[in-house]
Amino acid sequence: MKQHSAIKVTVAALGVVLFLSHCQQQQTGTTSPEERPAIFPKGELGPAENFTGQAWNTGLVPNDSVFNTVVGNVYFEPGARSNWHRHPAGQILVITDGEGYHQLKGQPRQTLKKGDVVKCPPNVTHWHGASPAKGMQQLYIIPNTEKGIVEWLEPVTNEEYRESK
């Protein structure tokens, strides 16, 4: 009977240790690929003519005539953002870490956090990027690439980036 109670106490203690370890991981809230094991490679630095600050892109699913879809991962360092741009068939963003912004032209800026999913409608001008204090990581999905992939436009000004309306 004493051995059975000792096993229960040991299992309970292990559970507490695992729970506290999980809580500690949650509190650290890492947002930089350098601070945690990366799911995807960091990729290539996005071109300065399309991004303000540093944004790193890695392609995951290349375009082809079977799936007609492009999928990739972007990590925006704090303060980094895309230029205004649009996609002929739209775009889906899945925020996998950090905090940032997204804005459709003429609409208020939205704050994005881990777990958010955004649909950018076809041919609607928009931008997205990290908050000033935290980086943001996102998966992007561009469907129906036979219609085209992206049209890059002008940079997002500092005023546009800071405005929440």
Side-chain angles (χ1 to χ4, degrees):
M1 190 67 98
K2 286 184 181 182
Q3 186 178 15
H4 184 66
S5 294
I7 291 172
K8 280 184 177 178
V9 169
T10 302
V11 170
L14 179 59
V16 169
V17 168
L18 291 173
F19 174 75
L20 291 174
S21 173
H22 173 74
C23 289
Q24 179 63 31
Q25 289 173 351
Q26 292 296 318
Q27 287 175 353
T28 60
T30 61
T31 58
S32 170
E34 292 79 24
E35 295 176 7
R36 65 177 151 30
I39 296 172
F40 306 113
K42 188 171 185 177
E44 301 293 321
L45 184 61
E49 60 266 14
N50 298 334
F51 296 92
T52 298
Q54 294 191 327
W56 302 87
N57 177 60
T58 188
L60 301 174
V61 177
N63 191 29
D64 64 32
S65 60
V66 175
F67 293 100
N68 296 313
T69 300
V70 172
V71 179
N73 181 75
V74 175
Y75 173 68
F76 292 94
E77 292 186 1
R81 58 193 179 266
S82 71
N83 283 9
W84 289 101
H85 61 284
R86 58 181 161 242
H87 305 276
Q91 178 185 48
I92 299 168
L93 305 174
V94 180
I95 309 308
T96 58
D97 201 12
E99 183 178 290
Y101 306 127
H102 172 263
Q103 184 176 20
L104 301 176
K105 193 77 160 189
Q107 294 188 16
R109 185 190 73 197
Q110 297 176 298
T111 298
L112 303 176
K113 294 188 179 194
K114 183 178 180 176
D116 288 342
V117 177
V118 176
K119 289 183 177 179
C120 308
N123 289 312
V124 173
T125 301
H126 66 279
W127 68 271
H128 34 96
S131 72
K134 288 186 178 182
M136 182 179 78
Q137 189 152 313
Q138 68 180 30
L139 289 174
Y140 62 85
I141 302 163
I142 302 172
N144 305 312
T145 56
E146 70 277 7
K147 296 179 181 180
I149 295 178
V150 64
E151 179 186 357
W152 289 104
L153 303 167
E154 70 279 358
V156 173
T157 66
N158 289 335
E159 292 77 27
E160 290 171 320
Y161 177 73
R162 287 191 298 263
E163 281 184 19
S164 62
K165 55 180 180 166

